[in-house]
Amino acid sequence: LATSMACPRISTRLPPNLDPTKSSLAYGERQLPKLNGELMTGTLLTKQQALRSLCDVMHKPENMVESLRVGILDSLKTLLSDTDSIVKMKATEVLFIMSTHAVGRQAFLTLSVIEPLSKLLNDSVFEVRKNSHQAIEMTSREFSGADGVLACDLVPMLVEKLKTEEDEIKELILDTLHNCMRRDASPTLDCKAIVVFTGLLNDALEGVRARAARNIMDLSFPLAGKEQACACGTVSHLVRLLADQSVLVRAQAAGALMTISVTTQGKYECIKADAIPALVALLIDENTDVRVNVLKLKELYCNSSDVVVKAARIAVEVIEWRP
């Protein structure tokens, strides 16, 4: 029988674990210093490869403190002004990953990263804007981070962005404004954001409608916010959302109405918008948050109404019913 002999052959394929779009990682403690050096002194391709590698290694919590020690955050801050779109996209992605760690969020404030990051909110590339918004929103979840956003005077720009941005980014902006209003609602009130929020109640996306209603509730805690909501016709839009198919939207709309109805003017606006029939129907809603907010509304402006009191009694019986 003829025996086939093995012959040497060089494969045209790359090794299975080699990714040409990323930098070759150094071993151990040299890994992050090497990547940082490539960020600052490498060619454009080298920078892009180093940033892609950082998107992987920065997910590990143990790399966060070391990355700050070797100066990676300073390097990323510098790269935010780079002219290459891929560099900015990957740099903002790394910053977003860093913002998911508490030590990273604190470093953002220490090294004043929010302001240069905010300049990319006007970038022409969607991914750059999205990554920047994600990093800012994540940072604003802590009170110190929200204070940092307020100190950079970003609220007016964020409100304006709600008029033109994509829905996916609108959700991030609404979350950022919500975090800021927990600290101080005055800047949002001053730029008449209630009008923009009211317009977003008609958005096709459930997440945008729910967040807009929640932000109206946030903005209506101060008396000036209640007055603005009554003046611009917000109440009628919120009453319409009480019949929304989304449970979350119904709950947030009821919460916003509850906040506005603290004042006499708010109560009259709710009555004029024919809110009582919608509220009575929601007293047996499947969602607890909806029922709680509706019952609070009943206490605020319909306490003397026999119809609402009867409906509330029925709602309590339904809630407490056991098979």
Side-chain angles (χ1 to χ4, degrees), residues 29 32-33 36 63-74:
E29 62 181 15
L32 293 173
N36 188 46
N63 287 332
M64 274 301 307
V65 176
E66 179 64 15
S67 69
L68 297 175
R69 188 188 68 81
V70 301
I72 284 181
L73 186 54
D74 286 309

Side-chain angles (χ1 to χ4, degrees), residues 42-62:
T43 62
L44 176 59
L45 178 60
T46 303
K47 291 179 183 178
Q48 294 174 350
Q49 291 173 331
L51 286 167
R52 288 191 176 96
S53 296
L54 278 174
C55 288
D56 292 336
V57 302
M58 293 310 297
H59 281 288
K60 297 180 180 179
E62 60 268 24

Side-chain angles (χ1 to χ4, degrees), residues 6 10 22-23 36 45 66 75 106 150 169 173 191 238 280:
I10 299 176
K22 299 178 182 179
S23 294
N36 188 46
L45 178 60
E66 179 64 15
S75 301
Q106 186 58 47
L150 291 169
I169 293 181
I173 296 174
C191 58
L238 291 170
V280 171

Side-chain angles (χ1 to χ4, degrees), residues 61 115 123 138-139 316:
E115 185 173 1
D123 197 88
M138 186 65 69
T139 304
V316 171

Side-chain angles (χ1 to χ4, degrees), residues 16-237:
N17 295 324
L18 179 62
D19 187 347
T21 66
K22 299 178 182 179
S23 294
S24 299
L25 297 178
Y27 180 75
E29 62 181 15
R30 283 295 307 155
Q31 183 181 94
L32 293 173
K34 177 178 179 291
L35 289 174
N36 188 46
E38 292 174 347
L39 290 179
M40 299 309 298
T41 61
T43 62
L44 176 59
L45 178 60
T46 303
K47 291 179 183 178
Q48 294 174 350
Q49 291 173 331
L51 286 167
R52 288 191 176 96
S53 296
L54 278 174
C55 288
D56 292 336
V57 302
M58 293 310 297
H59 281 288
K60 297 180 180 179
E62 60 268 24
N63 287 332
M64 274 301 307
V65 176
E66 179 64 15
S67 69
L68 297 175
R69 188 188 68 81
V70 301
I72 284 181
L73 186 54
D74 286 309
S75 301
L76 292 171
K77 183 179 174 182
T78 302
L79 291 178
L80 292 178
S81 58
D82 198 277
T83 57
D84 183 70
S85 296
I86 295 178
V87 169
K88 289 186 291 186
M89 181 176 68
K90 302 311 289 186
T92 52
E93 183 179 345
V94 177
L95 287 173
F96 167 57
I97 295 170
M98 296 180 75
S99 71
T100 61
H101 302 274
V103 65
R105 293 190 291 272
Q106 186 58 47
F108 274 30
L109 302 176
T110 304
L111 298 179
S112 302
V113 175
I114 295 177
E115 185 173 1
L117 192 60
S118 68
K119 294 178 181 179
L120 294 181
L121 301 183
N122 295 316
D123 197 88
S124 60
V125 180
F126 172 80
E127 288 77 9
V128 175
R129 300 197 309 275
K130 178 184 174 183
N131 291 337
S132 302
H133 276 291
Q134 285 179 316
I136 291 174
E137 189 277 325
M138 186 65 69
T139 304
S140 69
R141 292 185 183 185
E142 294 185 358
F143 285 160
S144 57
D147 290 339
V149 175
L150 291 169
C152 292
D153 196 27
L154 297 184
V155 170
M157 180 177 66
L158 292 174
V159 172
E160 283 298 314
K161 286 290 180 185
L162 286 173
K163 300 177 183 178
T164 57
E165 266 294 2
E166 304 287 340
D167 279 343
E168 189 175 354
I169 293 181
K170 284 180 183 177
E171 292 184 338
L172 295 169
I173 296 174
L174 289 168
D175 285 340
T176 303
L177 291 172
H178 165 67
N179 297 335
C180 292
M181 285 188 287
R182 291 189 304 163
R183 297 295 285 165
D184 184 7
S186 300
T188 316
L189 280 170
D190 293 341
C191 58
K192 308 298 181 183
I194 193 76
V195 178
V196 180
F197 294 160
T198 301
L200 292 177
L201 295 177
N202 300 317
D203 196 273
L205 197 65
E206 169 191 330
V208 173
R209 296 197 305 275
R211 286 171 170 83
R214 177 201 60 193
N215 284 17
I216 290 173
M217 179 171 60
D218 295 335
L219 205 56
S220 299
F221 281 112
L223 178 60
K226 296 179 179 65
E227 293 174 346
Q228 287 183 12
C230 293
C232 70
T234 302
V235 172
S236 59
H237 292 277

Side-chain angles (χ1 to χ4, degrees), residues 275-291:
I276 292 179
L279 294 172
V280 171
L282 289 181
L283 284 168
I284 54 174
D285 193 274
E286 62 183 12
N287 183 265
T288 303
D289 291 337
V290 175
R291 297 196 301 269

